[in-house]
Amino acid sequence: MSGVLLICVSLMVSAGAAGDLDMDALPFSVEDVIERASPSSIAIGDATFLVERWLAAPSTSLLDEFVLDTSIVYSGAPYREWLPSIAFSGTEYLVVWADKRSLDVDIYGSRVDTTGTVLDPVGIGISTATGSQSHPSVAFDGTNYLVVWDDCRSGSQFGIYGARVNQSGAVLDTSGIAIYTSADSQACPHVAFDGTNYFVAWEDYRGGLYCDIYATRIAPSGTVLDPSGIAIATSDDSDERPSLAFDGTNYLVVWESFGIDFDIFGARVDTSGVVLDSLAIFVCLVPFNQRHASVSFDGVNYFVVWDDYRRVTGSDIYGARVDTSGTVLDLDGVAVCTTSDYSSYPSVAFDGTNYLVVWQLQHGLGHKPDIYGTMVDTSGTVLHPSGIAVCTTDYWQEIPSVAFGSNDYLVVWEDWRSGTNADIYATRVSPSGAILDPLGILISMAGHPQWHASVASDGSDYLAAWEDWRSGTNADIYATRVSPSGAILDPLGILISMAADSQVSPSATFGGANYLVVWADKRGDAMDIYGARLSQSGTLLDTSGIAILTGGKDQVVPSVAFDGTNYFVVWEDHRAAFPESDIYGARVDTSGTVLDPTGIAITSSRQQWSPCVAFGGSNYLVAWEHLGVSTGYDIRAGRVDTSGTILDGMGIVVSALPYHERRPSVAYGGVNYLIVWKDVRGGIDSDIYGARVDAAGTVLDTSGIAISTAVDDQTYPSVTYDGANYLVVWQDYRNGSDWNIYGSRVDASGEVLDPSGIELMDQPYSRVNPAVTTGGDDQVLLVYDGFASLPYNTNRVFGAFYTETGIREHSAKIKTQNAKLFQNQPNPFHSQTTIHYQIPEAGGVFLKVYDSSGRLVSVLADEEKPAGSHTSWWHGKDSSGHGVPSGVYFCRLQTGEFVSTRKMILVR
């Protein structure tokens, strides 16, 4: 297929319309709506474009991605969620936390009503900016919430950011409010509201080695009123971890200060930002450490609580009342909890009669912590001296936070009951101390995550298989078929294996009349290699799986190819001594019978990992990474014939430079193989290199082919042959903020046709782990995984078609931020889709939705926007609020002279 666009377009307009048709004013380009059909017509207003023929088009834009599996099963969000904070609006709570469900740490939240119902089951992405965000705190102003956090989006130093969230859960400041940023770090903010403005305090390193306490007021509009900050505590000691409460006239800010030991100090600040206690209030100065202060107000006095190490052999919870003049009423502190264990991280709230103090109780160092609490009255009397067991499951519960609602408290904490990562759980506690939700309420939910897709083609349709976590704590193997037009034939996925424990790392190929999917399987005592056949209609033929190799040590990372008669499965085998491994293989016939039940030893030096395999017409070529004594990881390969005979002894040295070469992928191009890999010969960054190997096992490019040597890291390559050239794809970090998918063609002579690479996929979240295969008519399907926003808010597997053979070059330099419209997520969608875009400077933004005839359907934005990233949502409705039918729609962004359009598919 040539790289030439051959289109004959006839323009047919009604009388008088030709002069009125402005091609530049169309909501999308002709190329946006041309389908691969001949002939076809496209109506745009009174104009009709007749497409008579389309052979091949050069690439003019990034590829359009789509979600491979649209099912959603709510579960604990992937990876860790921690440091919860909570506020009450009068009708519901907003719980916020730090969240690792994407590659960076973000700020998420969820509303919870007074019955304990979670109103945002996949969470609200409050801040998903580049870099890490942590230590959130939240307050309510009567109309909106303000969430604040420390934020590392600008590089290595943290600043203080915030965002308002309305009562329906919409984030009003999608790019965040820069509350205070400087060359020095700021961290651990805390926020309260005084009836007019918010007050935010944080620890600040502008003074040098030790941190101070600074603050600022923020108007409900989000305006920062004290942009340079208010100095609360600037002693020669380290002042850390502020907490604050408002008494109706002034704030009390409390913190821990490290001199000889950690002690608790405080200062009052009025609503104009004046510090009333230039000499800090000594809240607690007893010997040994006092840390992690929290404060609440009861209408007469404040109550400050902290964890206290005066006992030396452990920590207890103490508190002290402080009146509005700043006088400490309990000089030695009130013993809230004194056991022989370790109590820490207290949080306190007031219900109108009593306080509830909650904390983390650890039964000895190294033992799991639980969540305990007690009521304390306004005189400082502890009403439950033995404590209230808030949550004492068999797993760890840590770092609680508490707020009072209209009738009950809501206590939230980090909870490790999933066994692998912490989630955010909660329970309601009545003013009498009754636990209303003894099993806890899971707050930090998301759609089930998916990872590590593999793809194969039968020459017509495609089959993508992946790791899927919809069952809960274990991974299963699911798949779906995709038609050449992009239709998802199995939108809820095909269950391939849900055996005991996890199944991971699938690899797929097509052979004979069926697909074979193989994977690593933990249903036994160790990881084994299993497989299953699927028919072209998507029927699972081996419901219990095929045991390709079981028993002994772990076998992992399988790869599979087909030789016209049998399948050949290779894997990383640890039967000798973990962690050392060799490469083994086994043939499987088309009936599912394993022909080599003990495996074929392809290598035997115990230093081989990450195999891949392709068939070259007479023999297989297996490639792997080899750990050399002096050269680090090298790339080696070996041929195996169709009878399972090893043809190259200890293997062929493909690349053995004194640097690491890893993660190989291999494809056959009709004459030679191309092996590609991650290569760090250029220094600390990794690049993509390759080498051709002929059918006799001779390496034709002994120095390697430099496929991509762009700035920063390129890794995880995958290669296919499209009938004319090899297409190599990889995940690429050249933009310096997240991973994108790039690609390049390599011809049969080893020439790289796109030396700067082509950016195939660029989304506001990273896209990683690409895999490619060639289907019918030299069409290529690219699959990969990455974070998907609403309605999933978790990692999902995606697909994108690459049909062009002409690729334009892109600069390898780090990109400056340009205006950009990203592909909507999900796509296709049912009831709501998220649209991300960015603009390099403040200005007018017009974001509109058109139908396929060019008719304006809805205006999503028509306003001035600040520079940065923004988010809009379309609910499949027109401007009158009426639902529109299924079909193809176009989202068009215009800002200044920039115009970009994305195709969206609505499926009712």
Side-chain angles (χ1 to χ4, degrees):
M1 182 172 66
S2 68
V4 180
L5 176 66
L6 298 177
I7 298 180
C8 178
V9 179
S10 301
L11 177 62
M12 299 170 291
V13 296
S14 62
D20 297 330
L21 184 64
D22 181 359
M23 295 295 290
D24 293 332
L26 291 175
F28 40 83
S29 66
V30 175
E31 288 84 0
D32 284 325
V33 293
I34 292 175
E35 299 292 341
R36 192 170 190 180
S38 179
S40 65
S41 63
I42 302 153
I44 303 177
D46 293 322
T48 299
F49 295 92
L50 177 64
V51 182
E52 294 181 340
R53 192 173 184 190
W54 180 27
L55 295 182
S59 175
T60 57
S61 65
L62 299 170
L63 305 184
D64 291 331
E65 70 176 17
F66 48 88
V67 176
L68 289 175
D69 173 59
T70 58
S71 63
I72 303 178
V73 176
Y74 297 131
S75 62
Y79 291 112
R80 186 181 176 188
E81 293 79 46
W82 69 104
L83 298 174
S85 180
I86 184 172
F88 185 66
S89 70
T91 55
E92 70 259 339
Y93 304 90
L94 178 64
V95 181
V96 298
W97 62 86
D99 195 298
K100 191 62 177 67
R101 70 183 72 185
S102 68
L103 291 181
D104 295 322
V105 179
D106 300 316
I107 303 300
Y108 270 76
S110 183
R111 296 168 300 144
V112 182
D113 70 17
T114 55
T115 69
T117 300
V118 178
L119 303 179
D120 306 291
V122 295
I124 303 165
I126 297 170
S127 177
T128 56
T130 299
S132 291
Q133 295 89 45
S134 190
H135 296 100
S137 177
V138 58
F140 183 70
D141 67 9
T143 302
N144 299 309
Y145 301 93
L146 177 65
V147 185
V148 299
W149 61 88
D150 51 43
D151 193 299
C152 197
R153 71 181 67 184
S154 63
S156 60
Q157 303 299 321
F158 282 87
I160 304 300
Y161 276 74
R164 294 167 300 148
V165 180
N166 70 20
Q167 293 180 71
S168 65
V171 179
L172 304 181
D173 308 291
T174 54
S175 298
I177 302 165
I179 296 172
Y180 187 82
T181 61
S182 73
D184 303 299
S185 279
Q186 299 82 41
C188 299
H190 195 267
V191 60
F193 185 70
D194 63 19
T196 302
N197 296 310
Y198 294 99
F199 193 64
V200 182
W202 64 85
E203 57 184 53
D204 193 300
Y205 285 85
R206 72 181 76 178
L209 180 62
Y210 298 109
C211 64
D212 302 314
I213 304 298
Y214 274 75
T216 189
R217 295 167 300 147
I218 299 177
S221 65
T223 301
V224 179
L225 302 179
D226 310 290
S228 297
I230 303 164
I232 306 292
T234 58
S235 70
D236 292 334
D237 297 324
S238 188
D239 303 307
E240 305 172 16
R241 298 180 181 273
S243 178
L244 60 149
F246 184 66
D247 67 10
T249 303
N250 301 310
Y251 293 96
L252 178 64
V253 183
V254 296
W255 64 89
E256 60 187 56
S257 182
F258 182 74
I260 298 174
D261 298 311
F262 280 100
D263 298 305
I264 305 300
F265 287 81
R268 294 168 301 141
V269 184
D270 70 17
T271 55
S272 66
V274 175
V275 179
L276 303 179
D277 303 293
S278 56
L279 294 176
I281 302 166
F282 300 157
V283 178
C284 183
L285 284 173
V286 300
F288 302 104
N289 289 330
Q290 293 82 44
R291 306 198 64 181
H292 305 124
S294 177
V295 59
S296 186
F297 184 70
D298 66 13
V300 177
N301 298 309
Y302 298 97
F303 191 46
V304 185
V305 295
W306 61 86
D307 48 67
D308 194 300
Y309 289 80
R310 70 184 71 182
R311 178 163 52 87
V312 180
T313 57
S315 57
D316 301 312
I317 304 300
Y318 274 74
R321 294 167 300 147
V322 180
D323 68 20
T324 55
S325 69
T327 302
V328 178
L329 304 180
D330 308 293
L331 294 177
D332 291 328
V334 175
V336 176
C337 173
T338 55
T339 69
S340 60
D341 297 316
Y342 294 81
S343 299
S344 56
Y345 294 100
S347 180
V348 59
F350 185 69
D351 65 14
T353 303
N354 299 308
Y355 296 98
L356 174 62
V357 184
V358 294
W359 62 89
Q360 164 186 319
L361 176 64
Q362 192 169 4
H363 305 284
L365 288 176
H367 291 241
K368 75 174 190 70
D370 297 316
I371 305 300
Y372 273 76
T374 188
M375 314 301 297
V376 181
D377 69 19
T378 55
S379 70
T381 301
V382 176
L383 303 181
H384 303 87
S386 299
I388 302 166
V390 177
C391 183
T392 59
T393 68
D394 291 336
Y395 301 96
W396 288 45
Q397 295 87 38
E398 302 177 284
I399 310 181
S401 183
V402 60
F404 184 70
S406 53
N407 297 301
D408 303 306
Y409 294 95
L410 187 69
V411 182
V412 296
W413 64 88
E414 302 173 18
D415 194 298
W416 291 80
R417 70 183 68 185
S418 71
T420 54
N421 295 292
D423 297 308
I424 304 300
Y425 272 76
T427 188
R428 293 169 298 147
V429 181
S430 74
S432 66
I435 306 302
L436 303 180
D437 309 289
L439 298 179
I441 304 164
L442 175 60
I443 304 292
S444 58
M445 290 187 282
H448 63 280
Q450 301 164 335
W451 306 90
H452 301 124
S454 178
V455 63
S457 175
D458 64 4
S460 177
D461 295 330
Y462 300 86
L463 181 78
W466 63 86
E467 299 173 14
D468 192 295
W469 291 77
R470 72 186 68 185
S471 66
T473 58
N474 296 318
D476 304 310
I477 304 298
Y478 274 76
T480 191
R481 293 168 301 138
V482 182
S483 77
S485 66
I488 306 299
L489 303 179
D490 311 288
L492 300 182
I494 303 167
L495 174 60
I496 295 178
S497 178
M498 190 188 283
D501 218 306
S502 283
Q503 294 81 49
V504 298
S505 303
S507 179
T509 195
F510 181 77
N514 302 308
Y515 296 96
L516 178 66
V517 179
V518 296
W519 63 89
D521 194 301
K522 191 61 173 65
R523 71 183 72 183
D525 294 332
M527 296 295 284
D528 300 316
I529 303 299
Y530 272 75
R533 294 167 302 143
L534 282 86
S535 72
Q536 291 172 277
S537 64
T539 301
L540 180 65
L541 303 178
D542 308 292
T543 55
S544 298
I546 303 166
I548 296 172
L549 192 126
T550 63
K553 303 288 186 177
D554 287 335
Q555 292 86 36
V556 294
V557 196
S559 180
V560 61
F562 185 70
D563 64 14
T565 302
N566 298 311
Y567 303 98
F568 190 51
V569 185
V570 297
W571 63 87
E572 180 182 304
D573 195 298
H574 296 269
R575 71 181 68 185
F578 189 87
E580 295 180 340
S581 70
D582 287 307
I583 306 304
Y584 272 70
R587 294 167 302 145
V588 180
D589 70 18
T590 54
S591 71
T593 301
V594 179
L595 304 179
D596 310 291
T598 60
I600 302 166
I602 298 171
T603 69
S604 59
S605 63
R606 302 185 183 181
Q607 302 290 342
Q608 332 292 331
W609 289 270
S610 302
C612 56
V613 60
F615 184 67
S618 57
N619 301 310
Y620 294 97
L621 184 69
V622 183
W624 62 87
E625 57 186 54
H626 166 82
L627 181 58
V629 176
S630 60
T631 58
Y633 286 96
D634 304 326
I635 300 301
R636 298 202 179 186
R639 294 170 302 145
V640 182
D641 70 18
T642 56
S643 68
T645 301
I646 309 301
L647 302 180
D648 299 298
M650 292 301 296
I652 304 160
V653 177
V654 179
S655 178
L657 295 173
Y659 303 100
H660 286 323
E661 295 92 44
R662 305 195 68 177
R663 309 287 183 188
S665 178
V666 61
Y668 183 65
V671 177
N672 300 312
Y673 300 92
L674 178 66
I675 303 174
V676 296
W677 63 85
K678 163 188 169 180
D679 193 300
V680 294
R681 72 183 68 184
I684 60 173
D685 295 335
S686 58
D687 301 314
I688 303 300
Y689 273 74
R692 294 167 301 143
V693 179
D694 69 16
T698 302
V699 178
L700 303 180
D701 308 290
T702 54
S703 297
I705 303 167
I707 297 172
S708 176
T709 58
V711 294
D712 229 314
D713 285 325
Q714 293 84 46
T715 187
Y716 287 101
S718 179
V719 60
T720 190
Y721 184 71
D722 69 6
N725 299 298
Y726 300 98
L727 176 66
V728 185
V729 299
W730 62 88
Q731 67 183 56
D732 194 300
Y733 204 71
R734 71 181 69 184
N735 71 4
S737 60
D738 50 34
W739 293 98
N740 298 322
I741 306 296
Y742 274 70
S744 181
R745 293 167 304 150
V746 179
D747 70 13
S749 71
E751 180 183 355
V752 178
L753 303 181
D754 314 290
S756 295
I758 174 69
E759 188 176 28
L760 298 175
M761 190 55 57
D762 182 6
Q763 291 290 336
Y765 305 104
S766 287
R767 296 293 182 256
V768 296
N769 301 320
V772 283
T773 197
T774 302
D777 295 327
D778 303 335
Q779 183 188 51
V780 173
L781 178 60
L782 166 68
V783 297
Y784 50 92
D785 58 72
F787 186 81
S789 56
L790 289 173
Y792 307 105
N793 272 350
T794 189
N795 206 77
R796 303 292 282 197
V797 290
F798 295 90
F801 281 109
Y802 168 78
T803 56
E804 300 88 357
T805 59
I807 303 181
R808 57 187 171 91
E809 291 188 5
H810 283 228
S811 171
K813 297 179 180 179
I814 296 176
K815 300 182 297 181
T816 57
Q817 186 188 50
N818 297 313
K820 185 175 293 183
L821 175 64
F822 298 100
Q823 185 67 45
N824 62 302
Q825 299 176 359
N827 192 39
F829 70 100
H830 172 63
S831 60
Q832 176 178 286
T833 190
T834 304
I835 302 163
H836 297 282
Y837 59 94
Q838 67 184 32
I839 58 176
E841 58 186 23
V845 168
F846 305 93
L847 188 67
K848 301 178 181 180
V849 177
Y850 298 84
D851 65 18
S852 59
S853 71
R855 181 181 64 87
L856 179 65
V857 175
S858 182
V859 177
L860 304 183
D862 183 358
E863 58 188 314
E864 292 288 321
K865 291 277 192 179
S869 299
H870 301 278
T871 303
S872 291
W873 294 268
W874 187 44
H875 299 274
K877 297 180 180 180
D878 62 21
S879 296
S880 300
H882 300 116
V884 297
S886 298
V888 176
Y889 294 85
F890 296 88
C891 180
R892 183 177 190 261
L893 172 68
Q894 180 177 359
T895 178
E897 296 181 354
F898 175 83
V899 178
S900 182
T901 303
R902 290 283 188 174
K903 182 166 64 175
M904 306 185 295
I905 301 174
L906 173 63
V907 180
R908 292 296 190 187

